[in-house]
Amino acid sequence: MPPDGSSALYSLCLVVVPAYVGYYLFCAVKKPSVNCNPKFSKFLEKRCPILSEKFWPTIWCVESRLQTILRVILQTRPPVSYEREMLDFSDGGQVALDWVSNDLNSVYGQTKPVVIIMPGLTGTSQEGYTLHLVAESVKLGYRAVVFNYRGNGGAELKTSRTYCATFTDDLSCVISHVSSRYPQSPVMAVGVSFGGIVLTNYLAKVGPESGLVAGMTCSSPWNVFESSKTLEEPINLVCFNRLLCNKLKQAVVRYEHLFRDMCDLKAVRNCVTIRDFDTNFTTKVFGYKSVDEYYRDACIHGKVQSIQIPLLCLNAIDDPFSPGKFIPVEEARRSPNVAIVVTCRGGHIGFIDGCLIPNGVGYMQRIFCQFSQAIYNFSDELLACED
């Protein structure tokens, strides 16, 4: 007699479940590759032991888009109470800096470190990953400040100057302001996705005069051209590209009186992709002749050798925003200051781990904790490695 439905399902499970577990253990659970020069590698091996351990993506959430989407849904949101400061610029613009001064923590005294956190393309201080980075900074005894880009985070956009991947003037002003407010404190910056592109472009531009002791980037696309292409693939277009484009358009429409003489607002409202938006808006506001000229300037894969301070970069090879084959691992191995950590899973700002149940504090945040402690507490060891 043919098996009934339940027996057939049971038999199927006996085959499928062990096969998937085998796939998970042998193909998904792997140590990250750490790409840097031997001296930097020795320092990271000693002070960031997490990089020598296997990354265990949650077993039912291995696929890159699932990692990217479910992180937004599943990630907890630790309670963070910010103190807002408005920083005015000489051109009449302003940004909102959201601070957690952590004055009651006396671990570091007058030299309490400061972490500047730079969110993604449309992100703010209220993103889940931002809140976790702030919360972990506070636990470690640091001050934390989130740099909300112009017009973001509820701050009014006062001029036609917004933000883009190559515009680093605002970051320079923020770093100078933080350093003047806390002159005895070492300052580190963490850039997530788009924020990491801005940070890397800034570091490549200013060399050793960055005002920072170190930097970290998470899920930052290295080649903007290739990122644009992969985001326009059908599934990514629906899941990510259109949503981000709509958020960018909403910000422009809200302040369209500032842009009437700079761009075709009808064309901006009709944009479907980020590339459309950059073609019709970003290039006009920032004076580029074409979107290709802008993207060439924004790409960071060729700027690794220009970085003059320690920079740790975390990427997943399956990131739907940034094709893994364009991560410049060979350049990092030749660089004295850049380490690129590549996991085989993790998606874009996903890195959901914990074999069955996702960890409360994500993999990205745990790497940040170890790397920041290594920089703030053991930087002399890194300098000794360089000698």
Side-chain angles (χ1 to χ4, degrees):
M1 294 179 61
D4 59 27
S6 59
S7 298
L9 180 61
Y10 178 73
S11 299
L12 182 62
C13 288
L14 285 178
V15 175
V16 172
V17 172
Y20 182 75
V21 171
Y23 162 78
Y24 171 75
L25 292 175
F26 290 102
C27 298
V29 178
K30 296 185 179 225
K31 290 183 181 180
S33 66
V34 180
N35 303 278
C36 57
N37 70 68
K39 295 177 180 179
F40 202 172
S41 177
K42 182 179 179 181
F43 174 74
L44 292 174
E45 183 178 346
K46 181 179 181 181
R47 294 301 175 187
C48 300
I50 190 173
L51 299 180
S52 302
E53 302 168 0
K54 289 182 177 180
F55 172 62
W56 291 76
T58 302
I59 193 167
W60 45 266
C61 183
V62 170
E63 199 274 332
S64 63
R65 296 177 189 86
L66 278 179
Q67 281 266 329
T68 305
I69 295 169
L70 290 182
R71 189 270 310 166
V72 180
I73 300 170
L74 297 176
Q75 189 172 48
T76 58
R77 299 174 62 83
V80 172
S81 179
Y82 290 115
E83 175 188 345
R84 172 153 290 192
E85 177 186 17
M86 301 306 300
L87 179 63
D88 296 320
F89 299 124
S90 59
D91 67 352
Q94 65 176 8
V95 295
L97 301 180
D98 286 334
W99 284 91
V100 177
S101 297
N102 201 17
D103 291 328
L104 296 180
N105 191 309
S106 59
V107 173
Y108 289 94
Q110 294 298 315
T111 60
K112 188 189 301 292
V114 180
V115 178
I116 300 172
I117 299 168
M118 303 170 62
L121 182 61
T122 60
T124 69
S125 58
Q126 297 302 320
E127 306 301 323
Y129 60 79
T130 306
L131 294 170
H132 272 283
L133 286 169
V134 171
E136 294 308 306
S137 296
V138 171
K139 288 179 187 176
L140 293 172
Y142 313 153
R143 294 185 174 95
V145 56
V146 182
F147 167 23
N148 297 286
Y149 312 123
R150 295 195 189 205
N152 283 15
E156 180 185 359
L157 184 64
K158 290 192 168 183
T159 72
S160 59
R161 176 72 71 186
T162 55
Y163 61 94
C164 76
T166 59
F167 181 60
T168 61
D169 292 4
D170 286 0
L171 175 57
S172 179
C173 290
V174 168
I175 293 171
S176 296
H177 174 72
V178 169
S179 297
S180 64
R181 180 167 169 170
Y182 298 107
Q184 298 182 60
S185 297
V187 182
M188 173 182 176
V190 180
V192 180
S193 188
F194 168 85
I197 300 179
V198 178
L199 175 59
T200 305
N201 273 317
Y202 169 75
L203 294 177
K205 186 181 298 183
V206 301
E209 305 302 321
S210 66
L212 302 173
V213 295
M216 178 176 172
T217 68
C218 307
S219 293
S220 296
W222 290 89
N223 187 314
V224 182
F225 287 103
E226 299 302 328
S227 177
S228 176
K229 288 179 185 177
T230 192
L231 280 173
E232 290 175 5
E233 294 173 1
I235 296 178
N236 293 338
L237 179 65
V238 174
C239 291
F240 310 117
N241 204 332
R242 285 179 177 173
L243 295 175
L244 288 170
C245 181
N246 285 338
K247 285 187 177 182
L248 292 168
K249 289 192 298 183
Q250 288 168 9
V252 173
V253 171
R254 190 181 312 128
Y255 296 103
E256 64 179 22
H257 62 282
L258 297 173
F259 307 111
R260 287 196 181 103
D261 298 329
M262 303 186 72
C263 61
D264 183 344
L265 289 170
K266 182 178 179 181
V268 173
R269 284 191 287 267
N270 289 333
C271 290
V272 176
T273 67
I274 296 172
R275 186 182 179 92
D276 291 341
F277 181 84
D278 288 335
T279 299
N280 291 288
F281 180 79
T282 308
T283 57
K284 312 302 181 186
V285 171
F286 288 93
Y288 287 100
K289 296 177 182 177
S290 67
V291 71
D292 284 353
E293 182 185 43
Y294 168 47
Y295 283 1
R296 276 193 296 272
D297 199 15
C299 284
I300 56 176
H301 64 285
K303 300 174 182 176
V304 173
Q305 302 305 323
S306 299
I307 307 300
Q308 299 296 310
I309 65 168
L311 178 66
L312 181 68
C313 309
L314 174 64
N315 289 90
I317 204 165
D318 66 348
D319 188 336
F321 284 56
S322 180
K325 64 181 179 180
F326 295 101
I327 300 172
V329 293
E330 291 299 328
E331 288 79 356
R333 290 169 188 157
R334 295 193 298 269
S335 166
N337 298 301
V338 177
I340 301 179
V341 177
V342 183
T343 60
C344 68
R345 305 287 175 175
H348 188 71
I349 328 177
F351 302 105
I352 301 173
D353 68 333
C355 185
L356 293 175
I357 301 173
N359 289 314
V361 179
Y363 185 74
M364 179 176 81
Q365 285 81 12
R366 298 201 306 279
I367 289 179
F368 159 72
C369 289
Q370 293 189 6
F371 181 62
S372 63
Q373 287 180 295
I375 291 297
Y376 287 139
N377 299 335
F378 304 104
S379 59
D380 55 330
E381 294 181 9
L382 183 57
L383 291 173
C385 288
E386 296 172 355
D387 293 337

